[in-house]
Amino acid sequence: MKTSLSRKYWMAVSGLFLIIFLTQHFTINFLSVISEESFNSVSHFMGTNPIVQFLLQPVLLIGVVFHFIAGFMLEIKNRQSRPVKYAAYSPAANSTWMSRNMIVTGIMILLFLGLHFYDFWIPEMNVKYIQADMSGLNENGEFRYYDELVHKFTDPIRVIIYCLSFVFLSLHLMHGFQSAFQSLGARHPKYTPGIKKLGAAFAVLIPLGFIVIALFHYLSSH
Amino acid sequence: MNLTLKVWRQKNAKSEGKLVTYQVSDISPDMSFLEMFDVLNEQLISKGEDPIAFDHDCREGICGMCSMFINGRAHGPLTGVTTCQLHMRSFKDGDTIVVEPWRAKAFPVIKDLVVDRSAFDRIIAKGGFISVNTGSARDANNIPIPKQNADEAFEAAACIGCGACVATCKNSSAMLFVSAKISQLALLPQGQPERYQRVLNMVEQMDKEGFGNCSNTGACEVECPKGISLENIARMNRDFLKASLIQKPKKETGGGAM
């Protein structure tokens, strides 16, 4: 993290890793729309498999922490490099809002992550590792995962916050996806247009998918 | 044309500056922006006031000296031009125009609109030498170079070091400039012997000067008067990554430079 470029590499690598994670998270969540049973069994597998729990989960946490620490470090350095601001500055003439406001969309996603941990991750850690209940069953002897998910999405305020957060995620990905490739030097006239299109499609479809899941459970529970 | 100008006035590097409002009248739309400033300065001189200091040299769009930040954009509202190639027809009669110096920690203001861009010179100096024979001119085709590489190297070498990339970048990042200087040599056979040491040295100096990081917004590419491409930044990123991975600890063996 010593040079400007190495900070950018870490930002890009952790970002691409989080993109892969997001795809996996979305796939599993989407199962909840298709089949309660398969969502429950996949959730149970992810929640109890030792490789997922003790290898992938820590790697994911390190990836998230790395990504936002590198982001804050870059932002602080960047702000210091222009101590006197312009009186007139028109950045919209030459760059997109998304590319200039990664710190804003990033902080919004980080806030959402706080809520998400409060909603799911902390209770999950509590049940599994403090109360030591690895069964994944509720008091009726059924898998609890699907019911817990649906329960969260019965609250309209939560659904609105979730949906809004995914709009910020979409804006973040809109720039971040293709930017990660550029930072790593992966740019070529043959592939870059495709990477940009793929990035835009990913940035729309994945957050939209998460929004659909939230709305689906909200609407079907009312 | 009659115009209202708000120009940054600052006595010297240490003093605090401020925007001062001036009125100019009977400006021809065919004047360049710098010629309009000449008219304003004549007015100031005849009134016994201190004329506005601004950088300029060739006034042909090739030297990179003129460095004004006009209405929130480097070199004004047009893309692909320097301030001397910006004409008053790009503005409307009665407009208010804000003119500021390049703003970056690494480009301190010397006076009014003049900034110290010697950070760029120090980055280039840090790039060091290239291993080529000097003496009599060699046969043009002595070293075969693919046409495409020669063209790309030439496009990178078109950078005039004006600093518009730094001025326009929200992070005051110099990566477009540095990557152009790295690319012009990295693309040619003559640049190969020192290629990976050069990128390490130049990036180190760039960081030391206090330029920001690259957020890949692409603003620099849009504002560059010479159309330097982001492709160069990607090449610098690749070369630096490779250089960091293959770098060996320095050994004192005696003999030879480096």
Side-chain angles (χ1 to χ4, degrees):
Chain A
M1 299 285 262
K2 268 201 326 231
T3 63
S4 53
L5 288 190
S6 54
R7 285 189 287 269
K8 290 299 299 178
Y9 298 144
W10 282 114
M11 200 68 198
V13 169
S14 55
L16 288 174
F17 170 73
L18 293 176
I19 283 171
I20 295 168
F21 161 72
L22 212 54
T23 316
Q24 170 255 318
H25 196 333
F26 170 73
T27 312
I28 294 175
N29 279 24
F30 200 71
L31 280 178
S32 72
V33 173
I34 303 167
S35 148
E36 179 180 338
E37 203 177 306
S38 43
F39 176 75
N40 272 332
S41 57
V42 173
S43 298
H44 189 63
F45 169 79
M46 296 299 281
T48 52
N49 183 285
I51 296 174
V52 175
Q53 286 296 303
F54 301 115
L55 183 69
L56 297 185
Q57 186 165 259
V59 169
L60 173 65
L61 283 173
I62 292 167
V64 171
V65 170
F66 232 89
H67 194 68
F68 75 75
I69 287 183
F72 282 126
M73 280 174 70
L74 286 164
E75 181 67 20
I76 291 166
K77 193 93 191 39
N78 293 342
R79 279 173 188 266
Q80 286 169 346
S81 57
R82 179 166 293 148
V84 183
K85 307 281 173 239
Y86 287 110
Y89 190 46
S90 327
N94 48 40
S95 57
T96 62
W97 186 91
M98 284 83 83
S99 71
R100 283 177 276 119
N101 291 283
M102 291 299 274
I103 190 73
V104 174
T105 49
I107 287 172
M108 296 312 283
I109 296 164
L110 193 60
L111 290 176
F112 165 75
L113 217 58
L115 177 69
H116 197 57
F117 269 45
Y118 172 78
D119 273 356
F120 292 102
W121 193 74
I122 294 171
E124 194 67 22
M125 291 295 112
N126 177 34
V127 169
K128 279 194 307 222
Y129 301 113
I130 293 171
Q131 299 177 20
D133 174 13
M134 299 295 282
S135 69
L137 304 174
N138 59 18
E139 52 269 29
N140 303 329
E142 295 161 341
F143 271 137
R144 59 189 166 82
Y145 307 106
Y146 183 83
D147 292 337
E148 282 172 0
L149 176 88
V150 172
H151 175 72
K152 289 290 175 211
F153 290 132
T154 50
D155 175 8
I157 304 215
R158 258 210 177 55
V159 172
I160 291 168
I161 295 174
Y162 266 61
C163 293
L164 265 178
S165 308
F166 284 113
V167 172
F168 285 110
L169 180 67
S170 173
L171 294 169
H172 200 73
L173 286 167
M174 203 70 91
H175 176 67
F177 192 103
Q178 52 94 12
S179 177
F181 287 88
Q182 168 78 7
S183 289
L184 292 168
R187 183 187 172 105
H188 192 280
K190 209 159 144 187
Y191 307 109
T192 299
I195 290 171
K196 285 189 175 169
K197 277 188 202 129
L198 182 69
F202 187 89
V204 172
L205 292 177
I206 296 288
L208 190 67
F210 275 110
I211 289 174
V212 166
I213 295 168
L215 290 178
F216 173 84
H217 290 299
Y218 175 72
L219 294 174
S220 50
S221 67
H222 280 73
Chain B
M1 297 170 79
N2 298 319
L3 300 160
T4 305
L5 297 172
K6 289 187 172 175
V7 184
W8 185 261
R9 300 302 309 260
Q10 185 173 334
K11 225 183 189 95
N12 54 50
K14 298 236 164 67
S15 63
E16 282 211 4
K18 62 173 192 299
L19 285 172
V20 178
T21 307
Y22 298 100
Q23 303 290 338
V24 284
S25 46
D26 297 327
I27 296 296
S28 158
D30 297 325
M31 274 181 187
S32 77
F33 202 82
L34 298 186
E35 284 165 336
M36 185 272 292
F37 257 74
D38 292 338
V39 171
L40 172 61
N41 272 346
E42 291 291 337
Q43 280 179 24
L44 292 176
I45 292 165
S46 66
K47 278 195 278 181
E49 287 178 36
D50 189 24
I52 300 161
F54 63 92
D55 263 327
H56 63 110
D57 192 0
C58 75
R59 299 207 177 191
E60 291 179 332
I62 52 173
C63 77
M65 277 310 281
C66 48
S67 57
M68 294 176 186
F69 208 77
I70 303 160
N71 277 349
R73 293 184 68 184
H75 298 137
L78 299 184
T79 54
V81 297
T82 52
T83 309
C84 63
Q85 299 302 300
L86 172 71
H87 292 86
M88 298 317 293
R89 52 183 169 269
S90 297
F91 299 90
K92 287 195 301 288
D93 187 34
D95 273 0
T96 299
I97 306 171
V98 182
V99 187
E100 295 170 87
W102 284 173
R103 294 284 188 209
K105 186 180 165 198
F107 286 168
V109 173
I110 298 171
K111 185 179 190 312
D112 297 338
L113 301 171
V114 180
V115 296
D116 179 1
R117 281 172 279 186
S118 57
F120 273 10
D121 302 333
R122 289 189 290 275
I123 293 171
I124 290 181
K126 208 58 194 282
F129 55 82
I130 56 164
S131 299
V132 289
N133 288 326
T134 53
S136 58
R138 306 223 284 173
D139 180 77
N141 292 322
N142 217 356
I143 306 169
I145 301 170
K147 172 83 167 95
Q148 195 168 350
N149 287 10
D151 286 348
E152 282 182 35
F154 187 82
E155 284 164 17
C159 167
I160 51 179
C162 64
C165 46
V166 174
T168 199
C169 174
K170 77 175 186 71
N171 309 331
S172 303
S173 169
M175 295 215 186
L176 194 69
F177 165 80
V178 178
S179 68
K181 299 302 169 195
I182 285 168
S183 287
Q184 74 181 52
L185 297 173
L187 282 159
L188 297 175
Q190 294 91 333
Q192 298 312 307
E194 296 84 16
R195 179 175 181 176
Y196 294 104
Q197 192 55 46
R198 184 185 307 117
V199 68
L200 291 173
N201 291 349
M202 289 177 80
V203 169
E204 187 194 357
Q205 187 64 32
M206 171 181 83
D207 289 348
K208 218 181 268 176
E209 296 290 349
F211 293 106
N213 305 279
C214 177
S215 293
N216 301 323
T217 68
C220 52
E221 182 184 52
V222 175
E223 298 297 347
C224 175
K226 296 296 151 186
I228 305 293
S229 158
L230 289 184
E231 176 73 49
N232 293 297
I233 299 185
R235 183 177 298 105
M236 173 177 73
N237 293 348
R238 281 198 294 276
D239 277 14
F240 188 87
L241 188 57
K242 189 173 171 192
S244 314
L245 295 174
I246 62 172
Q247 189 186 23
K248 289 178 185 167
K250 278 201 180 106
K251 261 197 284 187
E252 294 295 334
T253 52
M258 285 295 273

